[in-house]
Amino acid sequence: MAELTYRDAVAYGIAQEMRRDPNLVMLGEDIAGAGGVFKTTVGLLDEFGPARIRDTPISEQAILGAAMGAAMTGIPVIAEIMFSDFIAVCFDLLANEMAKSAYMTGGQLSVPVVVRTANGGGSRFGAQHSQSVENWCMMIPGLKVVAPSTPADVVGLMAASIRDPDPVVFFEHKSLFASKGEIPEGEIVDELGTARVVREGTDCTIAALALMVPRALEAADRLADEGISAEVIDVRSLVPLDTKTVLASVEKTSRLYTVEENPRLCGWGAEVASIVADEAFWDLDGPIVRITTPHIPLPAAEALEDMAIPSVDRIYETVSKTIG
Amino acid sequence: MSIDLNDPALLDYSQRPPRHPEPVDPANDGLPIPLNVRTDLYKRVQELRQFEKRAYDLFMQNLVKGTSHLSLGMEAVSAGFAAAMQPEDYVFATYRGHAHTLSKGADMGQVMAELLGRENGLLKGKGGSMHLTHAEANMMGSYAIIGAHLCIANGTAWSAQMRGTDQVTVCFFGDGTTNIGAFHEALNFAKVWNLPVVFVCENNLYMEYTPIDLVAAVPNPAADRAPAYGLESIVVDGNDPDAVYMVAADAITRARRGEGPALVEAQTYRHGGHSRADPGKYRPADEVEAWLDRDPIPMYHQRLLRLGVPEGRLSEITQDVARRVDEATEFAKAGAHPGEEHLFTDVWADGGSAWRN
Ligand SMILES: Cc1ncc(C[n+]2csc(CCOP(=O)(O)OP(=O)(O)O)c2C)c(N)n1
Ligand SMILES: [Mg+2]
């Protein structure tokens, strides 16, 4: 077991797969010589060389286009989009092109691309460099969407995403880069579409993603002091979505909370809530409660950003007040 | 350039001064192209012309639903490039992609069936006219959002570069496409990565309904932009199969040798409207007439006669194509409408569509 930061786990996971598959390549802005603006790709150029780790112009459409074209010929490609907010300038490539080629061509083409991108708030960067945009991608048929919360999951889900034959958007959370965790020895390969119960409990289920997972866990600790036993689920993968794990948990706890960093409207928790309402309504003892960032652009000032994004306090207070 | 906002031509484009075609260069008779290649080019333009005419008829009979964008009048561009390509080369097209898909060897019947939305279509009815793809022959798709596929074409070129093959990617698009960001990203990217890709602008003088000279900052929307990306300005008569073939062969050969990308602007004209039943009334009547007079096919027919190909050989080719188009039509019409079992297949590479457990 080695302890790694979430940041280092990114390069660790990519390196594991690059050693396994000599065809795997990566491209993006400032990823090679500079090691990435978040230093998530440090060391990769040295080990794998400039033909496999390639710097690009500031041309997000060209980046995703090149990734897609190469992938259609069978070469697996990792493309980095520096900040997830920038997905908006190349959304055509994601939403209209990669996502639809398999279907539109009657299965003639597939697109084994992983689009890695730094997502989420907490860095006081303001409204254009802090968004949680997983819901932008989740709503497109043909895209898979993953957002790990721990270094070990970064490695395992990275491997699973790279080995997946479909386009996967891989959200790395900016505010988790400095967090640390144990990485098991040897090759780590996880599975897409699997949520994980990260804390068992009996009184309520709290489903969370990425940065919201450690916050939900901390809130659960405080709830325990009050005698409330919260089960925390790390959703990990939005598409495919592991509804079984959530439904099984709700069957046990009878209460569901979602903790979402995305702005409220059409956040991933809305889909989870709707599925639980449809399929586990009679298990529920109370309304499903969504704890989200409000429907506003994110402010820059730390005081304001901290009010906007669900905090440990807000999760704790919301559950404590509503669980009845 | 100042714009007179009271100019009637701004309200009714058909009042604009016409843009007549350049006359055919008589020297092109003497281009060093073997006669067997020229006969092949003739067969190719005939296939595209007759197929597209039939597609139009079927549209008018309401058998082709949705939309379709024909290459009638523009056949020489597709034929000239296809004849200069190797089978392993990659092709990308726009929604105006019937011609390029056929040129890369897709079965006429399957293409026709796809236009009719049938199960025996090239894409099982799931893509339609605008998304024709024949991956088996490295025809990597037809793309209906302006610009994106130039970026994707860089990817197959990058793949060839990485794998060390000598495959070239040829990417077709229209004049209107030169005004979208993806065009500019793709050209710069191709140049800085020295990719083996040939970008081909089929300049038919109009985007949808707006004349290109009203919306482009330069007279030749592709060629005049080429120098900004370190590329040569290349303009070719897109209505002359031989002229296109020569330029194509040169650009493709250079890309194959590792000399990097090229951008070719082929000037041409569509005989019909932009799509479907668009009558194209926004074009000055004498302009349309002048370009119809420059129809690539009768011109090429005459050239081949001058070069000694017997009339009998040309009509044999024409009739053979006519028979194949009839067969393709029968094949397409006989196809079943796809059943529900196709609705949920092929979202993912494993053939399925599950998004949850
Ligand atoms: C991004 C985008 N904007 C607008 C359209 C609508 N549209 C479809 S075809 C077309 C005209 C394109 O003109 P050109 O590139 O000259 O190609 P042509 O149809 O003449 O072959 C437009 C504007 C589109 N498909 N995609
Ligand atoms: Mg045009």
Side-chain angles (χ1 to χ4, degrees):
Chain A
M1 291 273 247
E3 196 184 54
L4 277 189
T5 60
Y6 185 101
R7 179 193 320 280
D8 292 340
V10 174
Y12 185 95
I14 293 169
Q16 171 189 296
E17 292 305 293
M18 287 211 152
R19 286 178 205 124
R20 176 188 61 85
D21 183 352
N23 290 321
L24 178 62
V25 290
M26 179 160 74
L27 80 173
E29 295 161 20
D30 300 321
I31 61 158
V37 295
F38 296 106
K39 299 290 171 219
T40 46
T41 55
V42 172
L44 295 175
L45 175 66
D46 287 344
E47 181 172 355
F48 302 106
R52 295 181 67 190
I53 309 288
R54 257 183 120 162
D55 277 330
T56 68
I58 307 168
S59 300
E60 278 74 11
Q61 298 187 75
I63 292 170
L64 292 195
M68 173 174 171
M72 293 190 320
T73 70
I75 294 190
V77 185
I78 305 170
E80 177 176 311
I81 298 296
M82 190 185 287
F83 282 77
S84 65
D85 315 68
F86 309 164
I87 282 177
V89 304
C90 52
F91 202 42
D92 178 37
L93 270 300
L94 262 187
N96 290 322
E97 312 297 348
M98 289 186 194
K100 294 175 171 57
S101 344
Y103 193 82
M104 289 199 308
T105 63
Q108 289 185 48
L109 295 173
S110 61
V111 185
V113 168
V114 178
V115 178
R116 298 177 35 243
T117 188
N119 194 45
S123 306
R124 304 14 178 148
F125 287 163
Q128 295 181 341
H129 287 75
S130 305
Q131 297 172 83
S132 281
V133 304
E134 57 274 5
N135 53 336
W136 294 2
C137 297
M138 185 186 185
M139 65 188 175
I140 306 295
L143 292 182
K144 294 178 178 171
V145 182
V146 177
S149 74
T150 67
D153 278 2
V154 167
V155 179
L157 290 173
M158 181 78 76
S161 301
I162 288 167
R163 295 177 193 202
D164 195 275
D166 296 307
V168 180
V169 188
F170 191 92
F171 287 104
E172 294 159 14
H173 202 293
K174 293 194 283 291
S175 288
L176 289 172
F177 280 141
S179 65
K180 289 186 178 154
E182 296 291 328
I183 308 278
E185 296 294 327
E187 187 183 75
I188 311 171
V189 188
D190 210 317
E191 206 184 323
L192 303 185
T194 53
R196 180 180 296 136
V197 176
V198 287
R199 178 192 173 109
E200 295 204 10
T202 50
D203 297 334
C204 68
T205 299
I206 305 178
L209 188 76
L211 179 66
M212 298 298 102
V213 175
R215 293 191 183 180
L217 283 169
E218 211 182 314
D221 280 344
R222 282 166 56 184
L223 289 163
D225 294 342
E226 260 185 36
I228 299 168
S229 161
E231 176 143 307
V232 178
I233 294 177
D234 182 349
V235 177
R236 304 198 317 150
S237 170
L238 295 179
V239 183
L241 185 64
D242 179 3
T243 54
K244 275 191 184 154
T245 296
V246 177
L247 289 164
S249 176
V250 170
E251 192 182 334
K252 179 171 74 173
T253 65
S254 304
R255 292 299 301 253
L256 175 65
Y257 296 85
T258 65
V259 189
E260 305 161 55
E261 188 176 338
N262 47 222
R264 186 166 185 94
L265 299 192
C266 306
W268 60 264
E271 186 57 48
V272 171
S274 126
I275 290 168
V276 169
D278 265 356
E279 298 171 29
F281 184 76
W282 304 110
D283 290 328
L284 289 169
D285 281 347
I288 298 166
V289 178
R290 292 180 59 209
I291 304 166
T292 75
T293 296
H295 210 65
I296 54 171
L298 277 175
E302 68 186 311
L304 292 175
E305 191 183 36
D306 285 344
M307 285 177 227
I309 297 174
S311 61
V312 174
D313 284 345
R314 177 137 67 96
I315 301 166
Y316 161 76
E317 279 157 21
T318 307
V319 176
S320 160
K321 271 190 205 135
T322 55
I323 198 155
Chain B
M1 180 169 83
S2 73
I3 290 184
D4 173 7
L5 294 175
N6 297 314
D7 182 348
L10 282 182
L11 295 174
D12 178 358
Y13 298 149
S14 69
Q15 300 303 308
R16 290 175 61 74
R19 279 186 64 180
H20 286 298
E22 297 290 322
V24 190
D25 184 348
N28 287 355
D29 276 19
L31 288 171
I33 303 174
L35 216 48
N36 63 325
V37 173
R38 285 178 144 150
T39 336
D40 176 57
L41 282 166
Y42 185 80
K43 187 195 80 182
R44 288 175 175 278
V45 290
Q46 278 293 347
E47 283 171 351
L48 305 182
R49 172 64 54 91
Q50 295 192 38
F51 180 93
E52 292 288 62
K53 278 191 153 167
R54 181 60 52 83
Y56 182 77
D57 293 343
L58 295 175
F59 184 84
M60 294 315 268
Q61 292 165 33
N62 202 24
L63 279 166
V64 176
K65 307 289 160 84
T67 189
S68 64
H69 305 74
L70 306 178
S71 291
L72 286 172
M74 301 164 60
E75 299 88 348
V77 184
S78 183
F81 267 90
M85 276 180 236
Q86 294 299 317
E88 321 72 57
D89 291 341
Y90 295 106
V91 165
F92 287 81
T94 68
Y95 49 85
R96 197 180 301 288
H98 306 174
H100 303 305
T101 310
L102 293 170
S103 290
K104 201 73 174 89
D107 176 71
M108 266 189 194
Q110 287 186 315
V111 175
M112 198 73 90
E114 187 61 31
L115 305 190
L116 267 59
R118 303 301 166 94
E119 192 178 31
N120 55 347
L122 193 61
L123 319 168
K124 306 177 201 164
K126 292 165 86 161
S129 161
M130 296 204 283
H131 299 297
L132 298 175
T133 304
H134 187 40
E136 218 177 270
N138 285 352
M139 197 291 163
M140 303 302 276
S142 305
Y143 296 80
I145 313 278
I146 300 293
H149 73 297
L150 282 82
C151 297
I152 305 167
N154 278 338
T156 56
W158 178 32
S159 165
Q161 186 184 61
M162 286 191 282
R163 288 179 289 116
T165 72
D166 69 355
Q167 291 162 290
V168 172
T169 296
V170 177
C171 176
F172 298 93
F173 56 93
D175 45 282
T177 304
T178 64
N179 288 326
I180 202 163
F183 166 86
H184 299 272
E185 286 195 19
L187 286 175
N188 182 65
F189 191 99
K191 179 67 182 179
V192 296
W193 283 29
N194 195 41
L195 296 175
V197 55
V198 178
F199 295 106
V200 186
C201 175
E202 301 180 87
N203 181 1
N204 56 18
L205 308 187
Y206 291 80
M207 34 184 281
E208 265 168 314
Y209 313 122
T210 306
I212 191 64
D213 49 289
L214 272 188
V215 292
V218 287
N220 298 313
D224 292 347
R225 266 99 171 228
Y229 302 106
L231 302 173
E232 200 185 320
S233 291
I234 303 172
V235 176
V236 64
D237 179 353
N239 278 18
D240 185 331
D242 288 336
V244 173
Y245 175 81
M246 293 302 290
V247 165
D250 183 53
I252 291 171
T253 305
R254 285 195 274 155
R256 214 184 288 296
R257 279 204 301 256
E259 291 170 30
L263 172 60
V264 174
E265 177 171 332
Q267 295 184 341
T268 182
Y269 203 75
R270 49 174 156 75
H271 285 179
H274 168 72
S275 65
R276 302 197 292 176
D278 164 31
K281 286 278 193 266
Y282 42 85
R283 307 189 296 185
D286 52 339
E287 179 184 285
V288 176
E289 205 174 309
W291 280 93
L292 286 173
D293 280 348
R294 275 285 269 110
D295 187 332
I297 293 180
M299 181 285 285
Y300 205 52
H301 191 106
Q302 291 306 316
R303 177 177 294 159
L304 292 191
L305 292 179
R306 282 197 298 282
L307 293 172
V309 182
E311 176 69 55
R313 175 78 190 104
L314 296 180
S315 60
E316 200 184 313
I317 291 173
T318 309
Q319 281 158 25
D320 181 56
V321 170
R323 182 184 49 77
R324 286 167 46 218
V325 170
D326 284 342
E327 282 169 14
T329 310
E330 290 319 307
F331 173 83
K333 284 181 174 170
H337 292 279
E340 201 182 344
E341 70 276 14
H342 294 292
L343 195 56
F344 293 102
T345 57
D346 301 325
V347 173
W348 306 124
D350 69 5
S353 63
W355 56 270
R356 59 171 287 195
N357 58 9

